[in-house]
Amino acid sequence: MNAQTLLIVVILIIVLIPAITSTWKHMKGEGDCCGGPKEKPVKKKIDGPKLREITVHIEGMHCQNCKNRIEKHLDELDGVVAKVNLNKKTAVVSIYQVMDDSVIRDVIEGLDFTVVSMESK
């Protein structure tokens, strides 16, 4: 093996190690697949009676960061507490004030996820 070939092999190894590590993290649901820093939702509680609960089926979630983004942005709405299940690809949204379902849909789809269906309980 000549020096040029050895250099190329070393460069390829240096480039591939971070790519393989990132792919492995992504497959375990730990990567930042949707870009930006990891978002941590703040646990939100609301006093008062829950008016209703909606189960939202969502496509496009791949990692913990996706889950956190959806929870964080839904929880920013007044009168809403959300709990997202990444494995089931659902969000259970508890609503404590009068609100149209389209508001929930708009927040999720505004984050580039797809709302497949919404079921009121």
Side-chain angles (χ1 to χ4, degrees), residues 5-28:
T5 305
L6 183 61
L7 181 62
I8 290 171
V9 169
V10 169
I11 290 172
L12 283 174
I13 290 172
I14 290 171
V15 169
L16 287 177
I17 288 175
I20 292 170
T21 304
S22 175
T23 301
W24 182 253
K25 280 182 162 183
H26 180 74
M27 289 171 51
K28 291 182 2 185

Side-chain angles (χ1 to χ4, degrees), residues 85-99:
N85 185 317
L86 182 60
N87 294 327
K88 292 182 179 180
K89 300 203 181 293
T90 60
V92 175
V93 183
S94 299
I95 300 176
Y96 294 83
Q97 66 183 33
V98 176
M99 176 179 296

Side-chain angles (χ1 to χ4, degrees), residues 97-111:
Q97 66 183 33
V98 176
M99 176 179 296
D100 192 75
D101 291 356
S102 65
V103 174
I104 305 298
R105 178 183 298 274
D106 290 346
V107 167
I108 295 168
E109 291 184 345
L111 296 169

Side-chain angles (χ1 to χ4, degrees), residues 24-58:
W24 182 253
K25 280 182 162 183
H26 180 74
M27 289 171 51
K28 291 182 2 185
E30 298 172 359
D32 295 333
C33 70
C34 45
K38 288 189 176 186
E39 296 190 37
K40 300 287 183 191
V42 176
K43 297 298 176 193
K44 180 178 172 183
K45 284 192 165 190
I46 298 177
D47 292 330
K50 182 181 351 177
L51 299 180
R52 61 194 175 106
E53 193 172 84
I54 300 173
T55 301
V56 184
H57 298 272
I58 304 167

